[in-house]
C-alpha cells in the first residue's frame, strides 16, 4: 500500500507515470547497492574495460611487465576471453611458477578452452600450494567442470570446498548452487538454509559483506 501511495505521489509531482516508475526503480537499485548487493553494478563493466585498455597500453610500452600481464589476464577471464588470457599467462610462466593464483588462472583458462584434464591438474597444483587460494572457489570450478562427466568427483570437490568454508554465508550459497546443478535438491535446500543461519550468527561488521548471499539463499530455499 505504501509503495502504491509513493508511486501516486511521484506521478503527481513528475506528471508522468513512466518517469515515476523509473525513479522508483532507481531508488530501489541505489538502496540495494548500498545495503544488499543483489543487483549487478552497472559501472563495473565500464571500469573493467577502462582498466583493460590501460593495461594494454602499459604492456605495449613495457612488454616485460609481468604483473600487468597477469592482471590483464585476470580481467580477460572475467570477460570470458579465455584464449587471449591463456596466451598472456603462458607468456609469464617462467616468472609465475611460485604463485598459486597463477596456476589457478592458468587452469581456469584450460578448463574453458576444452582442455579439462590439463586445467584440473593446474588447479589442483594451485590448491596444493595454497588450499585457501581464492577462498576455495577453485574447488567449485573443478566441480562445475566435472558435473556432467563425473558426478561423484564433482560432489567430492564440493565437499572439499564445504570443509574449507564452514562459517561463510557466501560459501554455503555457492555450495547450494552447485548441489542444485548436480540435481541434489535436498542438499541444495539444506545448504541455502545453512547460509541464512550462518549469516544470523555473524558479527555486525561482517553482515554487510555477507548480506546479499543470505538474501539469495533465503529466496532459493523457499522455491
Amino acid at each position: 500500500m505504501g509503495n502504491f501511495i509513493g508511486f501516486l505521489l511521484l506521478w503527481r509531482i513528475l506528471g508522468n507515470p513512466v518517469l515515476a516508475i523509473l525513479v522508483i526503480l532507481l531508488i530501489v537499485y541505489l538502496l540495494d547497492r548500498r545495503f544488499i548487493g543483489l543487483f549487478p553494478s552497472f559501472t563495473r563493466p565500464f571500469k573493467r574495460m577502462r582498466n583493460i585498455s590501460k593495461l594494454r597500453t602499459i604492456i605495449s610500452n613495457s612488454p616485460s611487465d609481468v604483473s600487468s600481464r597477469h592482471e590483464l589476464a585476470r580481467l580477460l577471464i572475467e570477460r570470458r576471453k579465455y584464449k587471449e588470457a591463456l596466451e598472456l599467462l603462458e607468456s609469464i610462466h617462467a616468472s609465475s611458477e611460485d604463485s598459486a593464483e597463477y596456476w589457478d588462472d592458468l587452469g581456469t583458462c584450460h578448463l574453458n578452452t576444452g582442455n579439462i584434464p590439463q586445467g584440473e591438474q593446474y588447479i589442483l597444483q594451485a590448491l596444493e600450494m595454497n588450499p585457501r587460494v581464492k577462498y576455495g572457489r577453485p574447488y567449485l570450478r573443478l566441480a562445475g567442470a566435472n558435473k556432467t562427466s563425473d558426478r561423484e568427483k564433482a560432489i567430492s570437490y564440493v565437499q572439499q570446498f564445504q570443509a574449507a568454508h564452514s562459517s561463510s554465508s557466501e560459501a554455503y550459497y555457492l555450495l547450494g548452487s552447485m548441489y542444485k546443478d548436480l540435481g541434489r535438491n535436498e542438499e541444495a535446500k539444506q545448504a541455502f538454509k545453512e547460509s541464512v543461519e550462518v549469516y544470523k550468527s555473524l558479527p555486525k561488521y561482517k553482515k554487510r559483506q555477507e548480506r546479499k548471499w543470505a538474501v539469495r539463499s533465503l529466496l532459493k530455499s523457499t522455491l
Side-chain angles (χ1 to χ4, degrees), residues 107-108 110-112 115-117 119-120 123 138-151 153-154 157 178 182:
T108 298
H110 277 286
L111 287 182
N112 288 281
N115 193 354
I116 292 178
E120 188 169 10
I123 291 177
Y139 286 118
L140 294 178
R141 278 194 284 279
L142 292 174
N146 286 280
K147 67 182 180 182
T148 56
S149 59
D150 191 335
R151 295 170 66 85
K153 182 188 283 189
Y157 283 134
M178 183 55 64
L182 293 170

Side-chain angles (χ1 to χ4, degrees), residues 32-173:
D32 171 80
R33 293 301 302 165
R34 175 66 179 85
F35 297 106
I36 301 176
L38 286 179
F39 299 144
S41 170
F42 289 147
T43 61
R44 184 173 179 180
F46 298 104
K47 289 179 180 178
R48 183 168 56 214
M49 289 301 298
R50 187 168 62 248
N51 288 337
I52 286 174
S53 178
K54 181 180 177 181
L55 286 166
R56 289 192 194 281
T57 301
I58 292 172
I59 293 169
S60 177
N61 294 328
S62 181
S64 60
D65 189 332
V66 172
S67 62
S68 293
R69 283 177 175 270
H70 195 175
E71 182 59 26
L72 177 57
R74 286 174 177 166
L75 293 175
L76 290 171
I77 289 172
E78 288 183 14
R79 292 198 64 211
R80 301 186 180 183
K81 302 286 186 179
Y82 299 110
K83 186 175 180 180
E84 186 179 355
L86 180 59
E87 292 174 359
L88 282 166
L89 291 169
E90 288 177 339
S91 74
I92 60 172
H93 178 84
S95 305
S96 307
E97 291 182 291
D98 294 331
S99 168
E101 289 81 3
Y102 169 79
W103 289 110
D104 177 59
D105 290 335
L106 187 64
T108 298
C109 288
H110 277 286
L111 287 182
N112 288 281
T113 53
N115 193 354
I116 292 178
Q118 189 69 72
E120 188 169 10
Q121 178 184 331
Y122 287 149
I123 291 177
L124 288 174
Q125 184 171 337
L127 289 165
E128 184 177 349
M129 293 173 69
N130 178 6
R132 297 186 65 82
V133 62
K134 296 184 182 178
Y135 305 100
R137 283 184 177 81
Y139 286 118
L140 294 178
R141 278 194 284 279
L142 292 174
N146 286 280
K147 67 182 180 182
T148 56
S149 59
D150 191 335
R151 295 170 66 85
E152 290 305 314
K153 182 188 283 189
I155 291 168
S156 173
Y157 283 134
V158 168
Q159 291 171 341
Q160 289 179 72
F161 173 78
Q162 183 182 22
H165 294 275
S166 59
S167 60
S168 166
S169 184
E170 179 184 6
Y172 276 104
Y173 171 81

